[in-house]
Amino acid sequence: MNNQVLISFYPQGKKISVPSDFTVLEAAQLAGVMIDSVCGGKGRCGKCLIKDLSGKPQEPTENENKFLSPRQVREGIRLACQTRVREGLEVQVVNEVLESGSKGKEIERAVFNNIEGRIKKRRIELAPPSEKDQTSDWDRITSALPETKQASLEILKKIPGLLRKSDFNLTFTLFQDELLTADAGDSTDYGLAIDLGTTTVAVYLVDLGSNQIIASRAALNRQMLFGADVISRIEATRNQPDGLNKLQKAAADAINAILEEFFAQISSCRENTHLVILVGNPAMIHLFLGINPRGLAEFPFIPVFSRAFTLRAVETGLNLPAHTRLETLPLISAYVGADSLAAALTVDMDTPGPPRLLLDIGTNGEVVLAYNDTIWACSTAAGPALEGGAVRFGMRAEPGAISAVTIDDDVRISIIGTHQAKGLCGSGLLDAVAQMLGRGLIGKTGRIINSGNLPDGISDNIIRRLSPGSKGQRFYLNPEIYLTQGDISQLQLAKGAMRAGVEILMEAAGVRVDDLEEIMLAGAFGANLKPESLIAIGLLPPVPLEKVRPVGNAAGAGAVLCLLSQEHHQRALRLAGQIQHLELSLHKDFQERFIQAIKFESELIRKYHGSPSPLGGCAAISKPVHPDEQSTLPPR
Ligand code: FES
């Protein structure tokens, strides 16, 4: 049996006792310390940096030496997934994953008038029993509420007392044919819409009386500790002891932390929350329900279930009353989930009309195309580049991330929330590459051009930012942060996969680029990525910029619609049956299209990025460009 050892994490100040054969990353998972661990602890991403504060760090492994500079090794920096715990070890987390400090991704508030709600309230005055009327309590209720067919044992136990205390005058809360609660009838009723994303979970608290979102909050999905993408998470269910339960609990913990905040604000809202609508990709839904997702990752890629599912919310570990029902929306396939369905619902893809595209760009990108009354969908493995993974200085869009780049005579950068750049988020990477393409610093194949072969007119300030590295040229954005050839390749993989998916759907629908009425970008990226950069690198087809529209968290908005309205919920169920899924991995042309789409097209680059564009990116949280950042050059 292994000895237990005590390890402490700073600056969180958390201590935990774990078996001595644990890695620091495994101990962090148990302690709930969010260390960035894109590859899920396989030693492949180099992101899980910690500093050994003991002054006697273990010798770096061969693997660690690949990621750590000699200076980092001297300073005691190591990889958490490669470092064994030992008694009294104190570590400082270098790459902590920060919880979102925002109020959450706001959905535009839709006011619903004259809708048929999902939760029904009925105020009934029943005749009390008498010598002549010996009807049972339950039959007395169901004869007044004929739609009621069932109730939990818990509510059945409470009914006799409630009826007599209220003189048989009660308000009943119904969901479908089930009696959920009975009370005096002066309570406000609540529901929750949850968008469980691979990276972020967004929760909306909705007043079911006024049909308004009254609070919203986003936080990191705590499953991040087990890897950044769905494949790492599915592998973790296999490779970690009790992995499936750990992942299930991590997601539930992330949601419960948000619910605690809501309950602290509105004291009665826990007891009066009746319905939860959960959307997410198929892996997230399987993991949240504690259902083994293995079939999603193995040929022929089959989910355990795809229909809408209703269960008691408490069964998933959510801190909600026993009567609260949780409903998932249908899944379209193994990789197109309830989130895509909800997003398609929000933007009315079930309304016949001209061709419209809906894209959710992320580690797993989803594409939906509607044309007349047919809808197609596919998903593409875009890789982690746009979420900060597999990029030398990649990071999420958090304080310190370069979120926008402009290159003219020099480089200008915009940094989220601070003057000190720590890395590069997806919009910054996209901008940097698009701008480098526009200045001729990157060729069609994606290769960074040597300083000797640059086109005319490149300023000395720019030339000095190019520097040879061990694996090709580097381009310095500031003295510490640079783009590598490998970073550009990662972006090419992402854009190639997304574009190939778009092309194949358009071909299936018989749609040409000129026919497209609109391209809608869903999710956080949609709001932060510049359309001209997306088109310039070829991720989007070349449409006029005004045809590209961010639609915010359309998946969350769809969940709210299904929470509030019987009609919209029915629409979602019908829409699920309408969507035709194309499995790209089995498509005969995918490989060829993908390889074609990896390249850059010089005509597009000239058209969309031939001249510098204003800084944008994560504009809402970016600070203006600091004058110092305009002229900082790399060390020579
Ligand atoms: Fe440790 Fe990726 S290298 S989590």
Side-chain angles (χ1 to χ4, degrees):
M1 205 175 122
N2 286 310
N3 293 330
Q4 292 288 122
V5 297
L6 189 70
I7 170 169
S8 309
F9 292 94
Y10 295 95
Q12 298 81 5
K14 289 195 177 166
K15 293 177 194 277
I16 189 161
S17 171
V18 293
S20 56
D21 62 349
F22 266 38
T23 64
V24 171
L25 184 64
E26 286 170 322
Q29 287 167 352
L30 274 186
V33 173
M34 300 292 287
I35 297 179
D36 202 355
S37 49
V38 171
C39 73
K42 295 193 196 71
R44 289 196 210 131
C45 69
K47 299 283 181 201
C48 59
L49 299 181
I50 46 130
K51 183 172 184 178
D52 186 325
L53 299 175
S54 68
K56 288 185 192 155
Q58 70 179 25
E59 277 302 303
T61 61
E62 209 177 306
N63 212 9
E64 285 177 305
N65 277 326
K66 281 193 224 152
F67 294 104
L68 303 174
S69 68
R71 195 185 76 188
Q72 285 177 310
V73 170
R74 276 197 307 281
E75 288 175 351
I77 306 281
R78 298 290 184 270
L79 297 182
C81 68
Q82 307 292 302
T83 305
R84 292 259 161 240
V85 295
R86 58 180 190 275
E87 180 56 31
L89 178 62
E90 296 186 337
V91 298
Q92 181 186 336
V93 178
V94 177
N95 276 353
E96 185 186 7
V97 181
L98 298 174
E99 296 277 346
S100 164
S102 73
K103 282 201 296 133
K105 293 179 261 177
E106 286 286 352
I107 295 175
E108 272 181 42
R109 290 174 185 209
V111 178
F112 292 83
N113 293 317
N114 304 319
I115 58 161
E116 186 188 357
R118 306 289 313 282
I119 296 290
K120 308 227 162 64
K121 301 283 273 189
R122 299 271 191 273
R123 176 105 199 160
I124 307 275
E125 193 167 349
L126 299 164
S130 65
E131 206 177 331
K132 288 191 183 145
D133 178 3
Q134 296 186 334
T135 309
S136 70
D137 288 350
W138 179 246
D139 285 351
R140 195 171 298 277
I141 292 169
T142 54
S143 61
L145 297 170
E147 66 268 50
T148 310
K149 302 275 185 281
Q150 53 177 322
S152 66
L153 183 57
E154 192 197 4
I155 182 78
L156 202 56
K157 283 179 184 171
K158 286 184 186 162
I159 274 175
L162 288 168
L163 281 175
R164 282 153 188 86
K165 210 167 133 194
S166 65
D167 288 334
F168 288 80
N169 188 357
L170 278 178
T171 298
F172 297 93
T173 304
L174 309 174
F175 175 58
Q176 296 168 348
D177 64 356
E178 183 175 3
L179 173 61
L180 296 182
T181 63
D183 56 39
D186 51 4
S187 60
T188 304
D189 299 306
Y190 299 97
L192 294 163
I194 302 176
D195 173 18
L196 180 59
T198 312
T199 305
T200 308
V201 53
V203 185
Y204 304 91
L205 177 66
V206 181
D207 179 332
L208 299 181
S210 64
N211 296 325
Q212 294 282 346
I213 298 165
I214 53 170
S216 65
R217 181 91 170 104
L220 282 173
N221 182 345
R222 296 188 185 180
Q223 292 177 346
M224 290 293 288
L225 283 166
F226 301 86
D229 56 63
V230 294
I231 296 299
S232 309
R233 312 260 175 99
I234 294 171
E235 281 178 10
T237 65
R238 264 197 298 244
N239 304 337
Q240 296 227 2
D242 204 23
L244 182 55
N245 283 337
K246 283 184 192 163
L247 280 140
Q248 197 285 329
K249 186 170 176 310
D253 285 350
I255 297 170
N256 277 332
I258 296 177
L259 297 187
E260 284 311 313
E261 290 183 32
F262 292 165
F263 301 158
Q265 281 168 24
I266 305 167
S267 56
S268 64
C269 90
R270 181 182 178 277
E271 285 315 304
N272 294 312
T273 296
H274 304 304
L275 180 60
V276 181
I277 301 290
L278 179 86
V279 299
N281 66 48
M284 288 306 107
I285 301 266
H286 278 62
L287 290 170
F288 180 73
L289 298 183
I291 294 172
N292 196 322
R294 189 173 301 178
L296 302 176
E298 291 169 0
F299 186 79
F301 313 117
I302 300 296
V304 174
F305 68 100
S306 55
R307 293 183 184 195
F309 220 75
T310 307
L311 64 155
R312 288 171 197 281
V314 283
E315 291 178 69
T316 64
L318 290 188
N319 177 20
L320 287 166
H323 78 266
T324 310
R325 291 292 175 268
L326 182 143
E327 199 173 65
T328 63
L329 293 186
L331 312 178
I332 308 302
S333 71
Y335 284 95
V336 181
D339 49 355
S340 301
L341 174 68
L345 181 81
T346 302
V347 299
D348 298 327
M349 291 211 115
D350 52 346
T351 305
R356 288 102 71 205
L357 269 174
L358 172 67
L359 271 81
D360 193 340
I361 302 169
T363 307
N364 201 55
E366 286 97 27
V367 188
V368 184
L369 171 63
Y371 182 26
N372 288 334
D373 48 10
T374 312
I375 306 160
W376 295 261
C378 69
S379 80
T380 66
L386 286 168
E387 304 216 18
V391 171
R392 176 68 182 86
F393 289 97
M395 63 181 288
R396 275 175 277 276
E398 291 167 350
I402 296 174
S403 60
V405 177
T406 296
I407 303 176
D408 40 41
D409 282 348
D410 203 349
V411 171
R412 288 181 292 142
I413 57 177
S414 179
I415 308 165
I416 298 175
T418 170
H419 286 294
Q420 187 66 41
K422 291 198 304 192
L424 193 64
C425 68
S427 62
L429 173 67
L430 175 78
D431 255 9
V433 172
Q435 292 278 319
M436 288 173 73
L437 283 161
R439 305 279 89 70
L441 302 169
I442 297 177
K444 263 179 20 179
T445 59
R447 205 168 51 80
I448 302 177
I449 308 288
N450 287 325
S451 18
N453 297 328
L454 289 171
D456 292 341
I458 302 291
S459 71
D460 285 349
N461 280 336
I462 297 295
I463 294 171
R464 288 180 60 197
R465 290 174 185 269
L466 289 162
S467 172
S470 55
K471 291 183 185 160
Q473 289 279 90
R474 293 171 177 174
F475 184 75
Y476 280 82
L477 297 174
N478 76 5
E480 279 95 34
I481 294 168
Y482 54 83
L483 242 74
T484 69
Q485 195 59 66
D487 299 343
I488 295 166
S489 304
Q490 288 295 330
L491 184 68
Q492 286 179 279
L493 293 178
K495 76 109 175 173
M498 291 293 306
R499 181 64 183 273
V502 168
E503 299 264 331
I504 285 173
L505 285 200
M506 286 175 57
E507 190 177 275
V511 168
R512 295 168 305 134
V513 174
D514 291 346
D515 301 332
L516 283 171
E517 186 190 58
E518 195 172 32
I519 299 179
M520 292 168 280
L521 303 176
F525 276 123
N528 295 331
L529 301 180
K530 284 189 217 154
E532 63 268 38
S533 293
L534 288 167
I535 297 175
I537 70 159
L539 191 150
L540 294 183
V543 295
L545 291 180
E546 58 276 14
K547 288 191 173 185
V548 183
R549 175 168 73 101
V551 291
N553 185 9
V560 173
L561 287 174
C562 292
L563 173 68
L564 285 173
S565 156
Q566 194 69 31
E567 184 196 329
H568 287 302
H569 181 247
Q570 289 300 317
R571 266 182 66 211
L573 301 185
R574 282 196 301 275
L575 184 55
Q578 260 177 286
I579 297 176
Q580 298 182 22
H581 174 249
L582 289 183
E583 176 54 57
L584 292 186
S585 62
L586 304 177
H587 195 281
K588 62 180 177 37
D589 294 337
F590 178 72
Q591 208 54 27
E592 201 180 311
R593 300 271 176 156
F594 173 60
I595 291 167
Q596 198 58 34
I598 280 177
K599 292 184 203 146
F600 295 111
E601 292 174 53
S602 37
E603 197 185 314
L604 287 182
I605 298 157
R606 262 197 307 278
K607 186 166 171 196
Y608 288 91
H609 260 304
S611 59
S613 62
L615 286 170
C618 314
I621 40 179
S622 295
K623 71 170 185 61
V625 180
H626 190 279
D628 293 349
E629 284 152 14
Q630 295 186 26
S631 55
T632 44
L633 292 170
R636 303 302 292 172

